[in-house]
Amino acid sequence: PPLRSRRRRAGCARQGRCVARCEGRSSRASGSGPGWRELLGRSCLAMGSCAVKGLKSQNIVLEHDGRRQPNQKVEDDRSGVRIGSLGNVLDHWPKAQCRASVEGCAPADGVQQKGWADKPTKKIGEESLSIFKVGFACKKGLKPESPNQDDFCIFRADGVTVIGVFDGHGPYGADVSGFVQEALARCFVQDAVFAVDPETAMMDAFPAAHRQCTDAQNQLNFDCSLSGTTATLAMLRDGNFYVSHVGDSRAVLARQQGAALMAEDLTEDHRPTCEGERRRIQAAGGQVRRLDGDIPHRVFLSGKMYPGLAMTRSIGDTVGVTAGVTSTPDVSSLKVQEDWRFVLICSDGIWEFITSQEAVDIVARFPQADVQKAAESLSSEAWNRWIQAEGDVVDDITVVIMWFNDD
């Protein structure tokens, strides 16, 4: 599409984001600023339609103006997994000889990061990640007053690797993605059948994390009525690769074919234009429409102008749930093959202007030992393409790369 249309997409109408996103410009980014209703009103004006008309009559409370507090504990979830910080997921493998992890975390209170800034991280045994040939990058985009709404996690314990990417949206998208980044992996490894049936454990973990998110929002001062996150979680264990997702943080496999590496999508973006997803939304009583002047099709409550989500599955987005948006993931189990080289999981800050094959080609320029440089290079290329197309708008960018084999 022409540049003008691209700019529409890059604003509140960008694919995979609710009409009321307003680029995530909540007062959390600066410690002060407009409240919820003003933010939502601005977003509606940007779309040329009121996405939140009627919310008051639906008894939806949108008055929180705080931020998630790290390490805060709250009530037990019905699944038996406690909400909040309970130490590192690596605690599940206390006898592992080699353990390492990297997780994204929120910047210190009052700190407003600039574009291209790296997301702060919590690390354990970071030096071991290079041995495991895992690389990552999580860059803040160019969105004034908005925090980095992307998040990610990497856990490695002996022969087990768990990786995840999360892309938040809405005024509290950064809080939701940060909470889910911690909760989802923990729900997964603590599931009763994790050791014997990882597919079922993954299937159970997503709705469990969704429940924890909705239950915790009052205590942790965020609101997921019109905020949520994508989630893509994968695990390599015993020669099997398990991948699960909701939303559009795509996982891509690089396979050797002769002298070339070929890209193979392992996940399919959950969009209203997918026929199966459209039918499911309609069966739940929701509607799929494309507004005048907009680009993506969106999910709405029947006869309403909200929530306007351009994805059909997410964690959070409790208004969207009433229109059929679900936290139930697609889950796949694959046997690792000899021609597998590496896997990429990226937020749509990468996929907006870079194809799966282009991403594989960029990473393939680097040897396995330079996997961190490869992640930075792919992020840099995505950033440059955003600048070329949009000029002054760049989405948050997240990349996680994991190699399967030796050189």
Side-chain angles (χ1 to χ4, degrees):
L3 178 60
R4 184 176 180 181
S5 296
R6 284 289 191 186
R7 287 191 181 278
R8 295 278 301 194
R9 180 183 300 180
C12 298
R14 183 160 61 245
Q15 57 186 357
R17 307 295 176 259
C18 63
V19 175
R21 174 176 183 173
C22 194
E23 289 300 331
R25 294 188 178 102
S26 73
S27 57
R28 294 174 295 103
S30 60
S32 63
W36 260 86
R37 298 190 185 281
E38 183 179 353
L39 286 166
L40 297 177
R42 288 182 187 176
S43 184
C44 295
L45 289 174
M47 281 296 299
S49 61
C50 184
V52 293
K53 182 179 180 181
L55 281 179
K56 185 176 181 181
S57 65
Q58 297 294 319
N59 296 318
I60 297 170
V61 179
L62 304 176
E63 298 295 346
H64 300 302
D65 196 27
R67 62 181 298 147
R68 177 174 55 89
Q69 300 297 319
N71 301 321
Q72 183 175 355
K73 297 182 181 180
V74 293
E75 297 301 319
D76 288 353
D77 173 67
R78 75 190 72 178
S79 64
V81 179
R82 281 184 58 82
I83 303 168
S85 179
L86 288 177
N88 195 280
V89 170
L90 293 178
D91 295 342
H92 184 77
W93 296 277
K95 297 182 179 180
Q97 297 298 309
C98 193
R99 305 194 305 170
S101 70
V102 180
E103 301 173 78
C105 61
D109 288 345
V111 174
Q112 184 173 341
Q113 291 187 300
K114 296 181 179 180
W116 190 246
D118 291 315
K119 192 176 188 73
T121 56
K122 299 177 292 186
K123 302 175 182 178
I124 295 177
E126 179 189 9
E127 66 281 355
S128 300
L129 288 176
S130 60
I131 299 174
F132 299 139
K133 299 184 174 65
V134 178
F136 62 91
C138 187
K139 307 290 188 178
K140 183 187 180 301
L142 281 180
K143 298 179 295 181
E145 300 180 15
S146 171
N148 186 346
Q149 294 185 305
D150 281 7
D151 218 319
F152 74 100
C153 62
I154 302 169
F155 303 99
R156 175 72 186 231
D158 289 344
V160 180
T161 303
V162 177
I163 56 178
V165 168
F166 311 85
D167 184 354
H169 53 262
Y172 287 84
D175 294 295
V176 175
S177 65
F179 181 91
V180 173
Q181 178 264 113
E182 297 179 1
L184 182 61
R186 186 173 294 111
C187 288
F188 175 47
V189 302
Q190 292 182 351
D191 191 89
V193 298
F194 170 77
V196 296
D197 190 355
E199 288 181 84
T200 297
M202 276 185 166
M203 188 68 72
D204 293 343
F206 280 70
H210 174 80
R211 289 194 301 270
Q212 290 189 8
C213 185
T214 57
D215 290 348
Q217 58 184 333
N218 289 334
Q219 292 91 340
L220 301 185
N221 295 319
F222 62 82
D223 190 300
C224 54
S225 297
L226 292 172
S227 297
T229 185
T230 72
T232 302
L233 189 71
M235 180 178 73
L236 176 65
R237 188 179 77 181
D238 298 332
N240 294 298
F241 188 66
Y242 307 89
V243 60
S244 51
H245 81 295
V246 293
D248 58 5
S249 295
R250 191 184 314 156
V252 176
L253 174 68
R255 306 189 73 158
Q256 192 78 48
Q257 291 191 9
L261 289 180
M262 304 303 295
E264 178 180 325
D265 291 351
L266 297 181
T267 60
E268 181 178 356
D269 296 347
H270 291 135
R271 300 195 183 281
T273 50
C274 299
E275 186 59 31
E277 293 296 287
R278 177 191 293 268
R279 288 198 301 267
R280 186 178 56 75
I281 292 294
Q282 292 172 339
Q287 293 182 338
V288 173
R289 305 195 304 272
R290 187 176 68 179
L291 302 179
D292 292 341
D294 199 3
I295 293 176
H297 287 72
R298 298 180 181 277
V299 177
F300 298 90
L301 272 67
S302 180
K304 307 295 183 181
M305 290 298 293
Y306 57 86
L309 277 168
M311 66 181 67
T312 56
R313 304 193 196 193
S314 67
I315 295 178
D317 292 309
T318 54
V319 173
V321 169
T322 61
V325 176
T326 181
S327 60
T328 301
D330 284 336
V331 179
S332 300
S333 173
L334 305 166
K335 187 71 175 179
V336 176
Q337 304 297 311
E338 292 184 0
D339 63 348
W340 287 21
R341 293 299 174 259
F342 59 81
V343 67
L344 291 162
I345 302 180
C346 307
S347 66
D348 69 347
I350 293 290
W351 306 125
E352 181 73 17
F353 297 112
I354 294 179
T355 67
S356 298
Q357 186 60 55
E358 286 177 319
V360 166
D361 292 342
I362 291 169
V363 174
R365 298 170 189 166
F366 298 84
Q368 293 184 30
D370 291 335
V371 63
Q372 187 59 37
K373 292 181 180 179
E376 292 287 343
S377 179
L378 179 55
S379 300
S380 179
E381 180 64 26
W383 179 278
N384 290 338
R385 294 196 187 188
W386 274 95
I387 294 296
Q388 291 168 6
E390 308 294 348
D392 58 356
V393 174
V394 180
D395 198 3
D396 303 323
I397 293 171
T398 300
V399 177
V400 175
I401 306 170
M402 182 186 70
W403 282 84
F404 287 101
N405 49 20
D406 296 327
D407 286 318

